[in-house]
């Protein structure tokens, strides 16, 4: 069985002491596979960058251990780890050319000049910057500087590449382009990438798997489709995209489980993993806006009134209010002939298929 690229066991990290102590990580364990694009996702202050710095050796854990391919890293400084890092600021040397920046790590490793030159040429081709070797970083755009930083980090062929929000300084269009480029680079090099971001779209676009973090803990790990379609906890469902939350209580009759909602309607829970088996148990359900459908007032479904209607080009977002005052969003694609002609104040029904309902653990 192939050893994992990175394994963290019971990691904790505390900054300061006494009343001023900040607990950045609390008993974090995870396994990152070989040749995987793995993302640490969460809001500011959740501990994702601290975890990245522990893997890179820029911080040492207060407790727990880190392993690279089965070998313990705990206590080793960054320069003794076969791990490179691309920082948010790129950290290029302004007095060196692009080629010299890319070759810097190889020179520190004592690689022969011909090998360095060949590797620089290869890396610049990989990041699509052929012909830029003699330019200075100040002569490059932000996106080009980021590519140089990537080429420099990849030149020494690390076993793991850490990326600390490297796209945050780019404009929207360039950021989207670089998301695709980063995934291409990871696939072509076969190097394990560990990427930190607070941007859900980045995480869903690039990751093979991702870990959602909050308050120094990992709440859920899975593939993007698993995290988006089957969030286990309310924080995960709320942080990854827009989500509607419905509160209710369970009624079980034989093999049938139904949630009676606070808004007066009900939804089937058949097929929901871990559905409670006792009558009257409280439950929170999550429904993605694109998984719900608006129907005429006389149809079956949850009764609602339309508030705002927001046209967004490819789709239209309907902001509804259910009978108990709960806000609910429905998003419909603007396919030819399918756009609904509904105005604010209209009475409608919201239809939700059982497969669109996700029961949350908290």
């Amino acid at each position: 069985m192939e050893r994992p690229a990175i394994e963290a066991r019971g990691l904790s990290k505390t900054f300061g002491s006494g009343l001023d102590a900040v607990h950045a990580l609390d008993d974090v364990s995870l396994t990152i596979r070989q040749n995987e694009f793995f993302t640490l996702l969460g809001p500011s202050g959740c501990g994702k960058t601290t975890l990245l710095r522990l893997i890179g050796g820029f911080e040492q854990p207060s407790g727990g251990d880190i392993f690279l391919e089965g070998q313990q890293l705990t206590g080793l400084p960054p320069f003794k780890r076969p791990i490179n890092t691309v920082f948010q600021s790129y950290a290029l040397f302004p007095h060196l050319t692009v080629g010299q920046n890319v070759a810097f790590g190889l020179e520190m490793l004592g690689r022969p000049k011909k090998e360095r030159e060949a590797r620089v040429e290869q890396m610049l081709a990989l990041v699509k910057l052929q012909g830029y070797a003699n330019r200075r970083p100040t002569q490059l755009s932000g996106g080009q500087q980021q590519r140089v930083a990537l080429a420099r980090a990849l030149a020494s062929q690390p076993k793991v590449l850490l990326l600390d929000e490297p796209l945050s300084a780019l404009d929207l269009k360039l950021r989207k382009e670089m998301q695709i480029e980063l995934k291409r680079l990871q696939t072509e090099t076969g190097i394990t990438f560990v990427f930190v971001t607070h941007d859900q779209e980045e995480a869903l676009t690039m990751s093979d798997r991702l870990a959602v973090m909050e308050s120094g803990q990992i709440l859920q790990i899975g593939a993007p489709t698993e995290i988006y379609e089957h969030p286990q906890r309310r924080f995960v469902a709320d942080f990854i995209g827009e989500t509607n939350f419905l509160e209710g209580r369970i009624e079980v009759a034989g093999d049938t489980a139904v949630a009676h909602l606070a808004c007066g309607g009900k939804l089937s829970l058949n097929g929901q993993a871990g559905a409670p088996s006792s009558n009257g148990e409280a439950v929170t359900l999550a429904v993605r806006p694109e998984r719900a459908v608006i129907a005429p007032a006389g149809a079956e479904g949850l009764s609602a009134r339309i508030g705002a209607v927001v046209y967004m080009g490819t789709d239209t977002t309907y902001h509804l209010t259910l009978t108990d005052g709960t806000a609910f969003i429905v998003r419909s694609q603007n396919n030819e002939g399918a756009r609904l002609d509904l105005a604010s104040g209209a009475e409608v029904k919201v239809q939700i298929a059982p497969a669109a309902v996700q029961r949350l653990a908290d």
Side-chain angles (χ1 to χ4, degrees):
M1 182 177 179
E2 188 176 47
R3 287 178 174 176
I6 294 289
E7 185 180 5
R9 299 178 188 171
L11 283 182
S12 63
K13 180 62 180 179
T14 301
F15 295 97
S17 60
L19 296 176
D20 296 326
V22 176
H23 302 287
L25 289 179
D26 181 16
D27 193 25
V28 169
S29 296
L30 82 161
T31 298
I32 300 174
R33 300 165 185 159
Q34 295 279 359
N35 307 329
E36 183 172 42
F37 198 121
F38 191 93
T39 297
L40 302 172
L41 172 68
S44 297
C46 72
K48 58 187 185 296
T49 296
T50 298
L51 179 52
L52 194 82
R53 289 178 63 82
L54 290 177
I55 296 172
F58 302 105
E59 301 284 353
Q60 293 299 322
S62 303
D65 292 294
I66 304 173
F67 298 85
L68 171 68
E69 297 181 349
Q71 301 298 311
Q72 192 172 65
L73 293 177
T74 310
L76 287 179
F79 65 88
K80 289 191 176 181
R81 304 184 184 203
I83 296 172
N84 281 347
T85 305
V86 176
F87 298 99
Q88 183 176 343
S89 63
Y90 312 142
L92 299 177
F93 302 115
H95 62 287
L96 300 181
T97 66
V98 167
Q100 290 169 337
N101 266 280
V102 175
F104 182 81
L106 299 173
E107 190 171 355
M108 292 299 100
L109 292 172
R111 302 288 173 80
K113 183 179 180 180
K114 285 189 176 181
E115 180 184 337
R116 296 199 307 266
E117 292 174 346
R119 189 67 178 159
V120 167
E121 186 177 347
Q122 181 184 3
M123 288 298 97
L124 291 180
L126 183 68
V127 298
K128 299 181 180 179
L129 286 177
Q130 301 98 318
Y132 285 73
N134 294 321
R135 296 195 188 186
R136 302 281 180 176
T138 53
Q139 297 175 303
L140 305 180
S141 68
Q144 289 169 334
Q145 289 183 44
Q146 189 219 47
R147 290 169 186 260
V148 175
L150 284 166
R152 183 179 61 185
L154 293 169
S156 60
Q157 298 178 300
K159 293 184 177 180
V160 175
L161 182 65
L162 308 178
L163 301 108
D164 188 8
E165 303 205 47
L167 307 184
S168 60
L170 304 180
D171 62 60
L172 179 61
K173 183 179 180 181
L174 184 55
R175 192 160 68 241
K176 288 180 177 295
E177 292 174 357
M178 287 307 302
Q179 289 170 10
I180 298 171
E181 283 300 299
L182 275 178
K183 183 57 183 173
R184 177 187 66 82
L185 286 171
Q186 190 275 324
T187 301
E188 289 187 12
T189 61
I191 294 173
T192 300
F193 279 25
V194 183
F195 185 88
V196 160
T197 185
H198 62 272
D199 189 303
Q200 302 94 325
E201 182 180 315
E202 282 185 0
L204 294 174
T205 299
M206 296 185 291
S207 308
D208 296 315
R209 288 190 307 146
L210 59 107
V212 181
M213 299 186 65
E214 198 262 337
S215 299
Q217 296 182 321
I218 292 177
L219 302 186
Q220 188 173 347
I221 298 175
T225 52
E226 179 184 353
I227 297 292
Y228 185 84
E229 298 289 349
H230 303 290
Q232 297 170 359
R233 304 175 70 170
R234 184 173 184 131
F235 179 88
V236 177
D238 195 28
F239 190 75
I240 304 291
E242 285 187 300
T243 310
N244 297 298
F245 296 104
L246 298 171
E247 306 293 336
R249 292 195 174 274
I250 301 298
E251 179 185 8
V252 179
D255 295 332
T256 302
V258 175
H260 289 266
L261 305 177
C263 65
K266 59 184 181 180
L267 292 174
S268 171
L269 293 182
N270 285 354
Q272 286 285 309
S277 58
S278 56
N279 284 314
E281 187 166 350
V283 66
T284 299
L285 307 176
V287 180
R288 297 292 184 186
E290 68 274 12
R291 301 295 299 277
V293 176
I294 294 179
E300 294 291 323
L302 308 181
S303 297
R305 181 188 297 272
I306 293 181
V309 179
V310 183
Y311 176 77
M312 302 180 69
T314 58
D315 51 52
T316 298
T317 299
Y318 300 89
H319 294 264
L320 314 176
T321 303
L322 304 181
T323 54
D324 66 335
T326 298
F328 197 96
I329 296 174
V330 176
R331 186 175 299 112
S332 300
Q333 282 198 324
N334 294 325
N335 297 323
E336 186 176 355
R339 184 166 179 262
L340 302 172
D341 187 17
L342 297 170
S344 177
E347 300 287 344
V348 296
K349 289 294 179 74
V350 178
Q351 297 179 336
I352 305 169
V357 179
Q358 178 65 32
R359 175 180 172 265
L360 304 176
D362 60 5

